[in-house]
Amino acid sequence: MFRRSSNYGERYQEDAHAIAAIKLNPSILRRTAERVEKGHHWDPAADDDFAFNVLFAGIYDGHGGNTVSHYLQEHLHEVFETVDPKGVPSIVQTIKGYGGYFRRFRGGALEPWAQNGWDHVDEHTEMNLTLEAYATLAFLQADINIAQLPESSECGATASVALIHSLDMPESPFYSAEWLSITVAHCGLGDIQYRQFGVTPEPEVHTRVVRGDTVSSMVLVSDGISGILSDDEISDLVRSKSRQGPAACAKEVLEFAEELGTDDNCTVVVIPLPGWSTNVKDFTKELREYRRSGAAMSGRQRRM
């Protein structure tokens, strides 16, 4: 992992990131994995605490200040661990209270659990949430918490989160697992004054179950990187330095973006996965050299 601020004039670092090991409800993990990959059966022992550990990685691209991005850095992974599924109806009602666009909000991925009639739910009732619905619940709860911060009216952050866990039995670390479940979620949080116009904390969430040896890494970047580099260029840059470790890979991505003249804060997080050492052709090498020479020429022209 590597993170570095890029300073331009009066700009300051509004990005933040977090890496944490969290524990999620095993029934949610199992239900989601078996729904995504119907032929895959994963049923670890109920007393195996390590089976339900999840790697949580998040990048928070702040704007209008760093209040929201720093809140997410310190607390979003905790919200994922502690949010109560039985609070779905009240959380959805609170979001509807933003008004405007949200007056017709029915819960999105939470809609099946957001309707009336949950008054009978007690501590023994299984809510049967999928991981996509649970992630939506966590993001909505985080946004409600952020709304209590005075700065959140005109300050926000784009949150990109990855949840990775092993589906092996006996369970092995995610970085050497034969099978992995990978969930990614993305949304904007904060900017409360714009909620009624449709700026929504409801995330876009996707889950895939993959063979470990088919994925080499998970790379999270802020828009100081994604605004100037393509996904293919980022992947090839990471692989070009894989023998030197993930920190060197992330540094390579960051420095190439700076060479091309990125004018925003930059954050790169590289997470090695089981296929890390796989040799793959560098498809964008010639393109990157062309862009590098063009950036150097533009820089010389500006100095003339």
Side-chain angles (χ1 to χ4, degrees):
M1 181 188 70
F2 187 84
R3 173 182 183 271
R4 189 171 109 195
S5 170
S6 297
N7 296 314
Y8 296 89
E10 297 301 316
R11 297 186 65 87
Y12 64 97
Q13 179 62 281
E14 294 179 339
D15 289 357
H17 74 277
I19 307 290
I22 63 174
K23 186 174 181 179
L24 297 183
N25 186 315
S27 65
I28 293 175
L29 299 177
R30 181 173 59 249
R31 185 182 306 111
T32 302
E34 294 179 354
R35 177 186 59 78
V36 172
E37 187 66 35
K38 293 181 172 57
H40 192 90
H41 180 66
W42 182 63
D43 190 18
D47 59 352
D48 187 349
D49 290 340
F50 292 103
F52 313 124
N53 283 345
V54 175
L55 175 73
F56 176 104
I59 277 187
Y60 313 117
D61 189 345
H63 51 265
N66 57 21
T67 299
V68 173
S69 59
H70 284 184
Y71 173 88
L72 294 170
Q73 180 182 44
E74 295 175 7
H75 299 292
L76 185 58
H77 52 286
E78 297 174 351
V79 174
F80 265 80
E81 271 197 319
T82 60
V83 67
D84 185 358
K86 297 178 178 63
V88 167
S90 63
I91 288 174
V92 171
Q93 284 301 312
T94 300
I95 296 296
K96 287 171 68 73
Y98 286 148
Y101 166 85
F102 287 99
R103 289 174 183 167
R104 294 181 295 277
F105 183 62
R106 298 174 61 84
L110 294 171
E111 185 173 348
W113 299 274
Q115 306 307 308
N116 295 329
W118 285 102
D119 293 340
H120 66 282
V121 170
D122 58 30
E123 67 273 16
H124 304 296
T125 303
E126 174 59 68
M127 293 287 286
N128 297 321
L129 266 66
T130 62
L131 189 52
E132 293 87 347
Y134 186 84
T136 298
L137 176 63
F139 275 106
L140 295 183
Q141 180 62 68
D143 198 64
I144 292 170
N145 297 347
I146 289 167
Q148 309 306 312
L149 304 174
E151 300 89 344
S152 66
S153 177
E154 299 180 358
C155 174
T158 300
S160 300
V161 167
L163 304 169
I164 306 172
H165 72 98
S166 168
L167 296 176
D168 289 358
M169 294 189 300
E171 281 63 41
S172 61
F174 73 89
Y175 51 79
S176 61
E178 182 178 358
W179 288 93
L180 288 171
S181 173
I182 302 175
T183 296
V184 293
H186 178 84
C187 77
L189 298 167
D191 292 319
I192 303 303
Q193 67 169 331
Y194 301 112
R195 285 287 176 257
Q196 61 179 317
F197 304 114
V199 176
T200 176
E202 182 183 3
E204 181 179 356
V205 188
H206 300 282
T207 297
R208 291 183 62 190
V209 172
V210 297
R211 289 191 61 90
D213 59 7
T214 66
V215 284
S216 62
S217 63
M218 170 69 72
V219 184
L220 302 179
V221 300
S222 59
D223 64 4
I225 301 294
S226 61
I228 200 167
L229 300 180
S230 69
D231 291 349
D232 288 342
E233 288 174 308
I234 294 170
S235 296
D236 285 343
L237 284 164
V238 168
R239 284 193 288 261
S240 73
K241 296 292 182 179
S242 60
R243 292 186 179 181
Q244 298 178 33
C249 296
K251 185 177 181 181
E252 183 75 1
V253 174
L254 176 61
E255 291 184 345
F256 185 65
E258 290 179 330
E259 281 188 67
L260 297 188
T262 183
D263 59 357
D264 198 357
N265 292 157
C266 298
T267 302
V268 185
V269 174
V270 176
I271 303 168
L273 296 177
W276 178 256
S277 59
T278 303
N279 292 321
V280 179
K281 180 180 178 180
D282 187 340
F283 290 97
T284 66
K285 184 176 182 179
E286 292 183 3
L287 172 62
R288 297 198 311 275
E289 290 304 320
Y290 174 78
R291 297 187 70 192
R292 178 181 278 119
S293 63
M297 179 66 70
S298 297
R300 285 195 295 269
Q301 290 175 342
R302 285 194 298 269
R303 289 192 294 271
M304 291 178 62

